[in-house]
Amino acid sequence: MNRKKGCAMIALVMAVLLAGCSGGNNTNTSTGGAASSSPSASQQPASEKPAEQKTIELDWMNNPGLIGENSYGQKKLEEMFNIKLKKTYPIAHGDYLQKQQLQFAAGDIPDVFFVFDPATLSKYASQGFLAEVPMEMIEQYAPRTKAKIDEQAPQGWFYTNVDSRNYGLPTFYFTGQFTTKQLWRTDLLEQAGITAIPSTIDEMTEAFAALKKIGVTGMSSNGQSFYNAFHSVFGAYGVLPPQWMLKDGAVVNSAVQQESKDALAKLAEWYAAGYIDPDFITGKDIDTKFTTGKLAFMDAAHVSSLDADNPNSAASVVKANSSTGTIDFGPMPVGPGGQSGGWAWGTSGNIWAFGKQLEKEPEKMQRALEIMDALQNDEEYWLPLAWGEEGVHWTYKDAGAGVAGGLIHPDPYNDNVKLQENGIVDISTGTTFWGAQANLDIVGKYYGKEMLDKYNLYNKPVWDIFGKSDILPSSGKYWGDLIKLKTETFARIIIGDLPLTAFDDFVKEWNDKGGAELEKEANALYQSIQ
């Protein structure tokens, strides 16, 4: 989908949606770092500072992470906002959804909890787990967050909307405006006689063939990821399954388009030739195989992969394994039709939701909203929970440059496990366990110029025209089964367990299992704002 048209569409949709919810119509977007138009904390004083309000107890299922008991982060949160967390939830990211659903099914609903995606939120709403969050309450108790989401991440209001009712507070996602990095072992390319990083699908094919001759597999990907598996290869054919996209004036799902079949044909060809690691199906050991020289290309690396100052970065690990090992970022490959791009989420991330019981305890929802408003818009509250204590958990990379030079975690807090134990999110990208990310202006400021330059390098994002693919009314009913169908079928076609012609059967099954109904809903939503 044309990026400019897609952004305009989101703005139009949000103008309609926000007008219906609250009368707001500010739908400008921001890439972070711009001067904030919202009042600062000092310009918008509350009747009482958070620490001066009466103590309140909350069960808060935080942003996923293995937080230690009575961690620094928990104590700091309780101190700053005069609250008591009755329960803590140390859950690994990969286990979060399953454990959350099991807990809810048993009737144990926290006051505040983090929800990954709109389909899950819709499911929880239908099961009666959620408290409605009137937009007027957000405007009163989280006014700066409301204004910044309207400005910087308006698609987020799609995520919290179920049957024209609002069931949560969207979060910001600064890096959602960037694609993951394409990372190459340039030393292996040189050994294979390839003098330049491939920039097209044809050049990748040539490079993979040359690499095979020296005993190196071309690439792998995370086949378990419904969105990230071989995303840049699909992008080279003009699709990013399972995003909703515009085609010939209609909304269609990219998973069932001919272009996806064409991309699968190329991937199946590569697999049969031995250019793709068989373990892509599970996504197992990709990093290890890359850093030890068994793989030459990763299609979803982190922007910090080249950080030689970080002993855990790909660059450092490669160098530790081989003194001559070198890596570098490469462009999104260009396909036969001249297209390229990679999956990006947009600038709204996830959702904070509230247990049904808070409809009878509005003061708890109010306090939680106030806390989020502070953590997302006020550096005084955000910094100690996003990075920790200066001189202990973090220092400036360059004291003279200050924030512009970036921040680092010194030993022992350059260990992700240690950070999480202390209640600090390991990736340190402006995220807190209890407020998620701050608004884009704050987060972008703390990345530092060098890091931002890396994010913008070879950046060619493509995002769903609705922000996330599972925001439609019937997504909760169908989306899980469709994603499972897509993930399994694509993997089986790539490895040759199914012939390429099975794609046509997949399209029919997709439509029969709810894809056709979702497409009707997607077109109705799109047409409603034309």
Side-chain angles (χ1 to χ4, degrees):
M1 185 186 71
N2 178 275
R3 179 181 177 185
K4 183 175 181 182
K5 186 172 182 178
C7 292
M9 191 285 298
I10 289 174
L12 285 170
V13 172
M14 293 317 304
V16 174
L17 181 60
L18 293 172
C21 293
S22 63
N25 59 6
N26 185 354
T27 57
N28 295 327
T29 59
S30 169
T31 58
S36 171
S37 60
S38 297
S40 67
S42 60
Q43 294 171 317
Q44 192 178 27
S47 57
E48 296 178 278
K49 288 186 177 295
E52 296 172 352
Q53 299 182 48
K54 70 176 183 178
T55 303
I56 196 168
E57 292 186 337
L58 290 166
D59 290 340
W60 198 308
M61 182 176 276
N62 47 271
N63 195 349
L66 296 175
I67 305 174
E69 186 175 356
N70 294 317
S71 67
Y72 156 85
Q74 179 183 338
K75 291 177 180 177
K76 194 68 177 177
L77 179 82
E78 292 176 336
E79 171 193 329
M80 290 195 300
F81 296 104
N82 198 19
I83 62 169
K84 178 64 178 176
L85 297 185
K86 292 192 298 178
K87 290 184 180 180
T88 58
Y89 298 86
I91 305 173
H93 190 280
D95 298 330
Y96 187 83
L97 180 59
Q98 180 183 20
K99 290 189 175 182
Q100 185 180 67
Q101 292 180 340
L102 288 173
Q103 181 176 320
F104 288 9
D108 185 3
I109 316 295
D111 297 322
V112 185
F113 49 93
F114 188 81
V115 179
F116 282 136
D117 55 66
T120 301
L121 187 84
S122 178
K123 177 181 177 181
Y124 289 164
S126 68
Q127 293 171 323
F129 296 155
L130 305 181
E132 184 178 350
V133 189
M135 200 63 69
E136 294 78 12
M137 182 175 284
I138 295 175
E139 290 175 330
Q140 181 174 355
Y141 294 100
R144 293 172 294 174
T145 294
K146 169 67 167 59
K148 280 297 181 183
I149 287 186
D150 288 353
E151 174 192 344
Q152 296 179 342
Q155 70 271 29
W157 298 120
F158 278 133
Y159 304 170
T160 58
N161 186 277
V162 181
D163 295 331
S164 300
R165 295 176 181 269
N166 188 69
Y167 283 98
L169 186 71
T171 68
F172 298 95
Y173 187 29
F174 180 81
T175 55
Q177 57 198 309
F178 306 107
T179 53
T180 56
K181 292 301 174 187
Q182 311 295 285
L183 191 63
W184 287 88
R185 284 290 300 260
T186 48
D187 60 322
L188 299 179
L189 287 174
E190 290 173 5
Q191 291 176 34
I194 305 298
T195 59
I197 292 176
S199 60
T200 69
I201 292 295
D202 287 343
E203 289 176 1
M204 288 176 72
T205 303
E206 294 175 5
F208 291 165
L211 287 160
K212 185 181 180 182
K213 292 179 181 178
I214 63 169
V216 175
T217 301
M219 74 172 297
S220 187
S221 190
N222 184 0
Q224 292 298 302
S225 173
F226 78 88
Y227 66 94
N228 221 7
F230 301 105
H231 70 112
S232 59
V233 177
F234 283 96
Y237 288 83
V239 288
L240 268 299
Q243 287 186 358
W244 295 102
M245 60 181 286
L246 283 178
K247 188 174 184 182
D248 300 327
V251 180
V252 297
N253 195 281
S254 55
V256 291
Q257 302 310 303
Q258 175 64 40
E259 293 87 344
S260 287
K261 185 177 182 179
D262 296 340
L264 286 170
K266 176 57 67 175
L267 290 168
E269 173 193 313
W270 282 355
Y271 186 89
Y275 302 161
I276 297 176
D277 180 17
D279 284 341
F280 86 85
I281 294 176
T282 63
K284 183 180 179 182
D285 297 331
I286 297 174
D287 292 345
T288 300
K289 290 179 179 180
F290 179 81
T291 55
T292 56
K294 295 177 181 178
L295 291 173
F297 174 63
M298 291 175 61
D299 65 347
H302 194 267
V303 72
S304 64
S305 297
L306 303 185
D307 185 359
D309 295 328
N310 181 352
N312 298 314
S313 72
S316 297
V317 177
V318 165
K319 189 62 70 175
N321 287 326
S322 171
S323 60
T324 59
T326 57
I327 63 175
D328 204 355
F329 296 137
M332 292 285 171
V334 177
Q339 296 170 299
S340 65
W343 187 290
W345 287 104
T347 48
S348 186
N350 308 103
I351 305 156
W352 285 112
F354 304 86
K356 184 71 172 180
Q357 67 274 15
L358 292 200
E359 290 184 350
K360 297 180 179 179
E361 299 178 275
E363 69 280 359
K364 289 188 176 183
M365 186 184 296
Q366 293 164 11
R367 180 69 67 87
L369 288 171
E370 288 174 339
I371 292 171
M372 292 173 188
D373 198 54
L375 292 178
Q376 293 170 358
N377 301 283
D378 193 325
E379 291 177 58
E380 176 186 357
Y381 294 106
W382 167 82
L383 186 59
L385 290 177
W387 279 89
E389 182 179 347
E390 182 180 4
V392 177
H393 302 107
W394 68 270
T395 60
Y396 293 112
K397 285 185 179 180
D398 179 348
V403 172
L407 278 58
I408 59 171
H409 290 296
D411 185 63
Y413 299 107
N414 52 9
D415 184 302
N416 291 339
V417 174
K418 190 73 172 178
L419 273 180
Q420 284 200 12
E421 287 176 353
N422 277 259
I424 303 168
V425 177
D426 56 352
I427 53 176
S428 299
T429 53
T431 300
T432 70
F433 275 119
W434 296 276
Q437 286 197 359
N439 72 60
L440 305 191
D441 298 329
I442 292 175
V443 174
K445 172 181 174 182
Y446 278 81
Y447 268 83
K449 183 180 184 305
E450 181 180 354
M451 183 67 78
L452 288 174
D453 287 345
K454 289 180 180 177
Y455 267 107
N456 282 297
L457 181 66
Y458 299 129
N459 188 45
K460 196 163 185 182
V462 179
W463 47 76
D464 192 290
I465 61 173
F466 300 123
K468 285 190 176 181
S469 305
D470 56 353
I471 60 101
L472 299 168
S474 298
S475 291
K477 182 178 180 182
Y478 300 121
W479 195 248
D481 289 338
L482 291 175
I483 290 302
K484 184 174 184 290
L485 174 67
K486 175 261 177 189
T487 303
E488 292 179 353
T489 304
F490 280 23
R492 292 181 68 189
I493 289 175
I494 292 170
I495 68 174
D497 188 40
L498 290 175
L500 185 61
T501 54
F503 181 84
D504 302 322
D505 298 326
F506 157 74
V507 172
K508 182 179 185 305
E509 188 173 358
W510 171 283
N511 288 326
D512 290 345
K513 286 188 171 181
E517 183 173 340
L518 290 179
E519 184 176 304
K520 289 179 183 178
E521 293 178 354
N523 277 280
L525 176 58
Y526 182 76
Q527 291 300 323
S528 71
I529 51 84
Q530 296 306 299

